[in-house]
Amino acid sequence: MLAGVALPLVIAGWYVSGEHDKRRRLVERLRTTMAENADLHARLLDQARRAGVLDERHRVAGEIHDTVAQDLVALIGQLNAADRACAAPARRRHLDQAAELARRSLSEARRSVRALRPEPLESARLPEAITGMAESWSRAAGVDLMLEITGTPVALAADVEATLFRVAQEALANVAKHARATRTGLTLSYTDETVLLDVRDDGTGFAPQKPADGFGLDGMRQRVRGVGGTLDIESEPGQGTAVAAAVPAIPAIPAIPAGGSRESADAVPRRRLP
């Protein structure tokens, strides 16, 4: 009878001991896993921080290239032109344009530090901002520019408008610096789902497949990819260049009221900028 009572107790004790060992091993594994997860979390946070630093450096580099560097190149060009000018009125005109570029460069530098949108977009919609920038560029570069805006302009998300403005600005800056073009065309097209930007010139062209020095082309590609768009560059030596950007037509928030004023394509005719 004692054996009959003791045997179940022994079996129960053995079972409890086994379960206790299982729980102990499980707790140890959980502690090990938590330690590994904590280490992984720390590494991920460090990688995220490094990625954020690199993104910010890239943003600042892009802003400096798009604003200060381009204006300084144009400023040097105006000063050189003033130095070569023989007549006083021509020299005064170049110096006035140089002073305007210097003031604009200072203003853009301050805004870039504060990570704001391009200055022209602070007080105007994208078509007006691009038109003003193109007019200023055409006067400074001395190149005829045909500007065309098609579709129904709508207010887009800030990043999308900034991207299109910067791509247009960079493409025109490249025309002035490298193309030696006599004619340039810029088209901004609004469709239901996409906004298209095309910049064409009849300049010297280049071979897009060859690695290029500088930040310009890569900066344009990265900006367009950053808003979910695509950028195509077509060029051949002696055949001019065409830059085409296509980005999603992401509306601004808040959207333009239904009764608000929206210009149609008929209201924005093709223009030749002197």
Side-chain angles (χ1 to χ4, degrees):
M1 188 166 58
L2 290 175
V5 173
L7 182 60
L9 292 175
V10 170
I11 294 174
W14 173 80
Y15 177 78
V16 171
S17 177
E19 289 297 315
H20 177 73
D21 290 339
K22 287 182 181 179
R23 289 192 180 92
R24 181 175 53 80
R25 289 193 296 270
L26 178 60
V27 170
E28 290 176 355
R29 286 199 298 271
L30 287 175
R31 287 175 178 171
T32 302
T33 302
M34 290 177 64
E36 292 175 352
N37 287 341
D39 183 63
L40 177 61
H41 181 67
R43 290 201 300 268
L44 290 175
L45 286 178
D46 183 65
Q47 291 175 1
R49 182 187 62 80
R50 293 175 181 272
V53 170
L54 291 176
D55 288 344
E56 182 65 10
R57 287 177 179 174
H58 178 75
R59 183 194 68 78
V60 172
E63 290 291 338
I64 292 174
H65 177 271
D66 290 339
T67 56
V68 179
Q70 290 182 6
D71 284 344
L72 287 177
V73 170
L75 175 61
I76 292 172
Q78 293 297 327
L79 292 175
N80 289 337
D83 186 58
R84 294 191 301 269
C86 297
R91 186 180 301 111
R92 182 73 262 168
R93 184 176 67 255
H94 289 301
L95 290 176
D96 289 342
Q97 290 181 352
E100 178 185 353
L101 286 169
R103 287 191 294 269
R104 187 174 69 190
S105 178
L106 178 60
S107 176
E108 282 285 1
R110 289 170 174 168
R111 290 181 177 273
S112 297
V113 170
R114 296 195 299 268
L116 297 178
R117 303 173 70 192
E119 182 179 4
L121 292 176
E122 290 295 320
S123 57
R125 295 167 61 184
L126 180 62
E128 289 80 6
I130 283 185
T131 298
M133 182 269 295
E135 290 175 345
S136 176
W137 176 88
S138 183
R139 288 195 302 269
V143 179
D144 287 340
L145 192 149
M146 183 70 74
L147 175 66
E148 185 176 9
I149 299 176
T150 66
T152 302
V154 295
L156 303 172
D159 289 348
V160 175
E161 290 198 342
T163 294
L164 290 171
F165 182 88
R166 291 306 190 196
V167 169
Q169 187 180 49
E170 173 65 20
L172 291 178
N174 286 340
V175 173
K177 287 187 290 186
H178 307 298
R180 296 196 293 274
T182 59
R183 292 181 301 170
T184 304
L186 190 156
T187 303
L188 180 65
S189 304
Y190 289 83
T191 67
D192 291 339
E193 299 181 353
T194 309
V195 182
L196 308 173
L197 175 72
D198 297 285
V199 180
R200 308 163 303 282
D201 69 74
D202 63 350
T204 57
F206 67 102
Q209 65 274 15
K210 291 184 179 180
D213 297 331
F215 183 83
L217 297 181
D218 287 340
M220 284 194 290
R221 291 191 182 96
Q222 291 172 6
R223 282 183 178 277
V224 172
R225 283 199 301 265
V227 295
T230 58
L231 182 77
D232 295 318
I233 300 175
E234 296 181 1
S235 183
E236 291 183 10
Q239 301 297 319
T241 301
V243 176
V247 301
I250 303 173
I253 299 176
I256 297 177
S261 173
R262 290 187 176 180
E263 299 177 56
S264 65
D266 296 336
V268 188
R270 184 180 285 190
R271 300 175 59 186
R272 180 179 296 279
L273 304 181

